[in-house]
Amino acid sequence: MKTQPVAKIIKRKIKKYHSQEVVCAYLMLFPLLFGLSVFYIYPIFRTIFFSFTKWGAFGSYKITGIGNYVKLLHDHDMLLALKNTFIYTGLSVPLGLSAALIIAALLNSKIKGLSIYRALYFLPAITMPSAVAMVWNWIYNGDYGILNYCLSFFGIKGLGWVSDPSVAMYSLILVSVWGGIGISMIIFLAGLQGIPATYYEAASIDGAGAIKKFFKVTLPLLTPTIFFSLITSLIGSLQLFDLVFMMIRPGNLAMVNTQSIVYLFYRNAFVLNDKGYGAAISVVLLVITMIVTAIQFTFQKKWVNYD
Amino acid sequence: MKKMNGKNKGKLLVHIILIIGSIWMIFPFFWMILTSFKTFSETTRIPPVIFPKSFSFTNYATVFLTLPFKQFYINTIITSFTVTIGQIIVSTMAAYVFARLKFPGNKILFFIVLSVMMVPTQIFIIPQYMTMKYLHLLDSLPALIIPGWFSAFSVFLLRQFFMTLPIELEEAARIEGCGTFKIFYSIMLPLAKPGIIAASIFSILWSWNDLMWPLIVNNSMEKMTLAAGLASLQGQHLTNYPVIMAGAFLAVLPMLIIFLIFQKQFVEGIALSGTKA
Amino acid sequence: MSKKGLIALITATTLIATLLSGCSSNSKTVKEPAANTPVTLTYGIWDNVQQPVYQKLADEYHKQNPNVTIKIQLTPWEQYWTKLDTAATGGTTHDLFWMDMPHSMIYESNGILQDLSDNIKNDKVDMNNFPEQLVNAYKYDNKTYGIPKDVDAIALWYNKKIFDAAKLPYPDDTWNWDKIHSVAKQLTDAKKGIYGFGAFYDPQIGIYNTIFQAGGEVISKDKKTSLLDTPEAIAGIKFWTQFFTDKSTPTVQQMTDTDPTQMFQNGKLGMVFGGSWLQSTFLTDTNAKGFAEVAPLPQGKQKGVVTHSVANVIGAKTTHPKEAWDFLKYLSSKEANQIVAESGQVIPAFKGTTDAWVKSNENFKLQVFVDELAYAHAYPISQNTSGWESKCLEIFPKAYAGLMTADEACKKAAEEMNKVLSAN
């Protein structure tokens, strides 16, 4: 009842732009927009253009209309790539975020040795990617990997975790969660710093224990940061490439279940030398990601508290 | 009495979880270091050798003898720091605008900025190369630096931070007659310190490890960064892994130190935001 | 106040430093080179293992031509082709660089490489000094675009210890397909984790050799049709699938998890096909050094082996064509090839200089590779070699794993290969 007139007032307020503010906004925005346009947005438009061509070697091209997109609709590989990428995203995002959130909460508590722990959890982010791939390939090795070695103590015969098509994707998801914890942890730690101590003090006075504080104070106030991590993880997961490229070599029978959209793009653009088709794949990925992100942004009003 | 035991039990549990997690986290890093001490033969053994027979520093010596490592350090430090400083300046301004200022096109422009993250990064290579060629910046350090000043990720991160800051401070300042930029510079920026630190860490990290772009846009070994320079140790058929691991460890050491310094700032942040409120 | 000022000062300084360092590095003078103006040539390579040898050649050339300096610029193999593609699109390739056969046609046909035919004729460079099939590989439209710098071949690496333990005679040049299949079975002891043969899929190391041995070809002479579905090619594939039926090789999955060459180095495989380049790897590995040896590939209907050559080429847009050609001539000389041979890293392309390479590693009978060159077929290529090779990589391992028959795999591979060939 009260909301109706208030909404009208707010609408009127929003329509009023202060000229000083607008000018300032554009001025402060200019460096970013200029740089992004030159280095990133122009290439995207260029890619969109080339998706409508047969893009040959060294820049030569022939306009072919929607030919590439028609081909995409019938491409079985693309369907598989979509399925693989969605499975990967659907599992690694929630798992990764939850794990990082828990770790960050633990690392924000008053225990000894915080700096050391934080540094340790940060290490995967700075370990050389080829070392990461080598170690995980060793862990996952079917014949002498550590994982199967441990399983043998329980009498379980382990699989080839990255060579068996039925499990390879899940093995990659585990590596991804492992590698993402350090990054997400930094973001969450920063977010946790933004929660004023007074809130915790008030909660203590009300008699709340550690876990209650987490759910009633920490989580709600952390939602802007969680939202950020959610969006960037979603976008990043849809872009899955490096992990597949490093751990699943061409010729691996498991490729059929791990080939992601970007890997398909890379294969078409750089190995099969069909850059126009690759461009079309990029455009499809862009559209999918935009839709997913837009949905998240519209829903954020329901759960994100910006204070 | 009961409360004390409960608290200690809780702390112990936290430690246990964190320690188990840590082992899992550091395993590959630990492996990387151990491998740097092994001989080439030891790295091709099946099952893999965990501990080298002898811990010799020959691989580390080889790194310095075969590569201009000192130059790599200098290049990487200059590149990473210049990228980060520039990126923070550009991103904080843009992030504040998106977070707080009302102007036509706010939502659309922000979405366009985000869309930059939604495409495979390989599509940027050739256009950026051509732009660098046009600017006569091929085979130079600025070629490595300039594209890094514009980061959608950074802008998004800082925007979220600005949005969590209490709006009352700005309104108060505005009533006192402060201009928009002054509010941004004197009030908002200091408050967003944790976010700025996080963004800086990511920027340095990304720039430090960037491999593909330096290899493509630069030719001479003297202009290479650590990651790109180390990659040159990979032969076509024969790759001396122990030497590369030694190099990787040397390359990463400064990052680790930077992180240790920076993450202390996180703790200080609590005091800051607490008093302000 | 001072904090703000400090930040501003640092920012300004770094920005200025950035711009200055940028400005100082873009002085590319393009002027008519007078007779003795100092010239710098850039030479792009991809193998850091060979870098010292080529640096030696560059220094040697500089001694003989003091006004020309060669700057070797290494891009690792993984990134070499992406970088070359980018540079070629931007018209900024190195003055000289390495080219391989699979990528050669697309660069030749798009004018990225300098046509060397006139230079070769005028300076009377004798191309008979290089293996004919490899010289032809770098010709396009009857024009020569590259001069071979090295050659390689594939042979049968075997583990003496495993043969000794099974009390079987070592492989020799009388071996045929039946022989190797039966010996592989005899050497296999699955309980000990030892397999007689490592039958992994690879075009150059694997199927091309056996297709040639069966009397077949991979691609038609006009490069428009795939010959992978011919009976000879099918026989060539069945050579490999036989090992899986006999269970004398690790499974496809096992060889995906662990590199077969590494398996060999650890005494798990009795025999593998392997390249001439493995000799330095095995020499450095204290294990393999002790038990590895090499023999000619077994023969099918005939002897057959695939050979590949890396060539030196000149970028079409070079600003110093005369000097670049002169250095290329030097690189293709007997003297230069001799130096390469002595380093032992690659087999030099110049006929008659291979002895030094053979002698560089007396642990193994490297002469085997040189002898094979006499009947070697050139690596099959087309405009988009990587295109159909990538398709084959998806298909043939399925036949090895028993998910398809060899006939089905060959038919599908030929189908996909023809699609790629007609797309260009």
Side-chain angles (χ1 to χ4, degrees), chain C residues 29-334:
Chain C
T29 41
V30 182
K31 43 181 185 190
E32 260 302 326
N36 281 319
T37 1
V39 167
T40 306
L41 294 175
T42 52
Y43 182 26
I45 71 173
W46 65 60
D47 192 5
N48 77 316
V49 171
Q50 295 180 54
Q51 190 169 3
V53 169
Y54 281 86
Q55 189 58 55
K56 195 167 166 203
L57 290 173
D59 296 336
E60 194 49 51
Y61 184 77
H62 182 65
K63 259 199 268 176
Q64 300 170 13
N65 303 272
N67 63 315
V68 178
T69 316
I70 314 289
K71 244 184 133 187
I72 297 184
Q73 294 182 332
L74 171 71
T75 308
W77 172 255
E78 292 263 335
Q79 289 85 14
Y80 186 85
W81 299 104
T82 313
K83 186 185 171 106
L84 187 60
D85 184 40
T86 311
T89 312
T92 55
T93 59
H94 294 135
D95 295 307
L96 292 114
F97 49 96
W98 288 357
M99 176 56 61
D100 76 356
M101 284 161 57
H103 292 95
S104 57
M105 284 182 73
I106 204 165
Y107 285 93
E108 288 160 356
S109 59
N110 282 285
I112 311 291
L113 306 180
Q114 183 104 260
D115 175 10
L116 306 172
S117 320
D118 289 335
N119 278 321
I120 291 176
K121 211 170 60 169
N122 295 340
D123 289 3
K124 297 200 185 25
V125 175
D126 187 2
M127 296 302 276
N128 287 319
N129 281 321
F130 308 100
E132 194 191 335
Q133 68 271 58
L134 297 172
V135 168
N136 290 335
Y138 286 103
K139 275 196 190 157
Y140 185 80
D141 223 10
N142 274 319
K143 302 194 200 117
T144 304
Y145 288 93
I147 302 187
K149 79 165 189 72
D150 65 46
V151 295
D152 63 37
I154 312 297
L156 184 67
W157 288 93
Y158 62 92
N159 185 326
K160 289 185 285 192
K161 282 213 188 98
I162 294 183
F163 273 84
D164 290 341
K167 294 202 180 56
L168 289 171
Y170 300 152
D172 59 33
D173 58 4
T174 64
W175 276 35
N176 60 13
W177 285 10
D178 288 330
K179 183 78 184 180
I180 193 174
H181 285 133
S182 84
V183 172
K185 269 195 280 190
Q186 292 174 282
L187 292 176
T188 303
D189 187 348
K191 266 182 262 149
K192 286 209 192 120
I194 295 182
Y195 294 90
F197 188 76
F200 61 95
Y201 174 79
D202 185 278
Q204 183 183 5
I205 304 174
I207 61 170
Y208 290 172
N209 300 289
T210 51
I211 292 180
F212 294 141
Q213 288 164 15
E217 287 287 340
V218 174
I219 191 173
S220 62
K221 268 222 162 67
D222 61 7
K223 302 200 197 293
K224 295 217 176 108
T225 329
S226 167
L227 297 176
L228 286 175
D229 48 3
T230 55
E232 291 84 9
I234 297 177
I237 302 295
K238 286 199 171 142
F239 169 87
W240 297 90
T241 52
Q242 183 65 42
F243 290 104
F244 291 94
T245 324
D246 293 346
K247 293 208 187 348
S248 51
T249 172
T251 63
V252 171
Q253 264 200 14
Q254 282 175 298
M255 292 190 292
T256 306
D257 272 344
T258 314
D259 179 45
T261 311
Q262 214 185 339
M263 281 186 182
F264 178 80
Q265 284 173 257
N266 285 279
K268 308 245 184 265
L269 297 176
M271 302 176 278
V272 274
F273 281 22
S276 41
W277 57 82
L278 287 178
Q279 55 94 2
S280 45
T281 314
F282 292 164
L283 189 63
T284 331
D285 179 3
T286 43
N287 249 24
K289 187 172 168 187
F291 59 65
E293 188 50 276
V294 65
L297 290 178
Q299 49 187 326
K301 254 207 219 130
Q302 61 188 28
K303 289 199 203 175
V305 66
V306 63
T307 177
H308 176 264
S309 155
V310 175
N312 284 309
V313 296
I314 298 180
K317 294 222 169 86
T318 176
T319 46
H320 308 290
K322 253 192 2 179
E323 289 81 357
W325 166 247
D326 198 67
F327 181 54
L328 181 55
K329 249 196 323 177
Y330 170 72
L331 287 174
S332 316
S333 66
K334 189 164 188 191

Side-chain angles (χ1 to χ4, degrees), chain A residues 169-190:
Chain A
M169 179 51 97
Y170 304 102
S171 309
L172 289 187
I173 291 175
L174 184 61
V175 181
S176 145
V177 169
W178 171 88
I181 289 183
I183 309 281
S184 302
M185 171 193 82
I186 294 178
I187 297 172
F188 287 136
L189 281 176

